[in-house]
Amino acid sequence: MFIAPPPAYHLVLQQLPSDHAGHSAQGNLTVAPTEQARPADAQRMGTHGMVLFGSGKQLFASHIPMFHRPHDVQLLLSVSLAHPELASGRDFSDGTYTLEPERFDLDALAQGRLKQFRATVHQGNFEAGGTPLHKDVTVRVQAVEQMQLLTAQAPELPEPRYWVVGSGKEAWLVHVISRAPDFDQVVKVSLDKPALRTGKGLPVLRLPRRKNLGDERPKAGEQLTATAEDGQPVRLTFQRELSYLKGPDFTP
């Protein structure tokens, strides 16, 4: 069973130069983020872009990571969106959608101290010419679903593993990132049976007999048999790839 470490972790403040657009690194910490975290406490201050996916009341945000600070965290959130022009029940599973948020401390978000932030919703990747749909959207964090720190020296996974996000037979899979360069992928799938949680973390599916390489990742329309945490087979169909970013920088 693959379980991320608990969100209570201690990190050392480190100043970094700016990196690519949308992944701006920590700078002068004179302005506090939206709420709780104080400037002196900020560990991973930056513009932390996210992939937005889900539909209706099941909406999720997956932080677009990197293998260095301040973005070296793979983080999955369940969220709700508030905006006067944003229709309730909106489906974000028909293509790629991203959040371009205000600057905040990623540690405060992962630890549950930051409960909401403002962002622009883009159709497409905002770092690759995505179209802004709604500005100044309030993103409220319902739960921190999964979190793990990334390191280039992490053990290499022998086969792809995916977190199962959502409930029921219609769900989403998020690729578990391991050793660099790896890849970040979010896909919509249909399962022959719901994936059940067996602990605090999200359910994990393994794809046996497939290499953990981006070029060999499952594609839309493929029908596969995965292995659940209890060793039982789970048949699934990959419906649509919502996002694919190649490491180690995870740029479009």
Side-chain angles (χ1 to χ4, degrees):
M1 176 179 176
F2 184 93
I3 300 178
Y9 52 91
H10 177 73
L11 300 163
V12 179
L13 182 65
Q14 178 180 354
Q15 296 285 342
L16 291 172
S18 295
D19 44 54
H20 64 78
H23 281 57
S24 60
Q26 179 175 315
N28 189 339
L29 304 180
T30 58
V31 180
T34 304
E35 52 182 275
Q36 293 92 343
R38 300 190 305 274
D41 297 333
Q43 302 288 325
R44 284 178 165 79
M45 182 67 69
T47 303
H48 299 288
M50 301 182 185
V51 177
L52 174 65
F53 61 98
S55 62
K57 294 183 178 180
Q58 292 193 102
L59 293 181
F60 306 94
S62 177
H63 172 239
I64 300 172
M66 300 181 77
F67 278 98
H68 61 71
R69 295 170 65 97
H71 305 291
D72 54 339
V73 179
Q74 187 173 18
L75 179 66
L76 275 171
L77 310 169
S78 58
V79 300
S80 63
L81 307 179
H83 189 276
E85 299 176 358
L86 191 59
S88 123
R90 173 67 187 268
D91 186 3
F92 292 100
S93 296
D94 60 352
T96 299
Y97 296 88
T98 54
L99 294 174
E100 181 183 9
E102 62 183 333
R103 287 170 55 85
F104 57 74
D105 177 19
L106 192 63
D107 288 354
L109 188 66
Q111 294 169 3
R113 292 183 285 115
L114 182 64
K115 302 295 185 181
Q116 67 180 44
F117 55 88
R118 294 184 300 274
T120 298
V121 175
H122 292 255
Q123 185 170 20
N125 192 308
F126 71 92
E127 295 181 298
T131 302
L133 297 179
H134 304 287
K135 296 183 179 181
D136 202 26
V137 175
T138 299
V139 181
R140 296 191 176 97
V141 179
Q142 305 300 317
V144 176
E145 298 286 355
Q146 200 78 36
M147 185 278 295
Q148 68 166 351
L149 298 178
L150 298 185
T151 170
Q153 291 75 41
E156 185 175 0
L157 296 179
E159 56 199 6
R161 297 182 185 182
Y162 288 85
W163 286 311
V164 183
V165 185
S167 58
K169 294 183 179 181
E170 298 297 313
W172 299 266
L173 301 185
V174 177
H175 180 249
V176 179
I177 299 173
S178 56
R179 177 180 294 180
D182 218 326
F183 63 96
D184 187 31
Q185 184 188 26
V186 179
V187 295
K188 177 71 183 297
V189 298
S190 58
L191 308 172
D192 69 337
K193 56 186 177 183
L196 303 177
R197 290 179 185 247
T198 58
K200 292 183 179 180
L202 293 170
V204 175
L205 294 180
R206 297 183 291 108
L207 299 182
R209 298 179 296 279
R210 186 181 287 262
K211 294 181 180 179
N212 190 34
L213 299 173
D215 292 342
E216 298 188 25
R217 71 190 188 279
K219 303 298 195 303
E222 281 193 66
Q223 295 181 337
L224 301 172
T225 298
T227 302
E229 295 169 281
D230 60 3
Q232 296 300 310
V234 177
R235 291 185 294 275
L236 58 91
T237 300
F238 277 69
Q239 296 182 359
R240 181 179 293 112
E241 183 174 76
L242 304 181
S243 176
Y244 170 71
L245 298 171
K246 187 175 181 180
D249 292 332
F250 302 104
T251 52

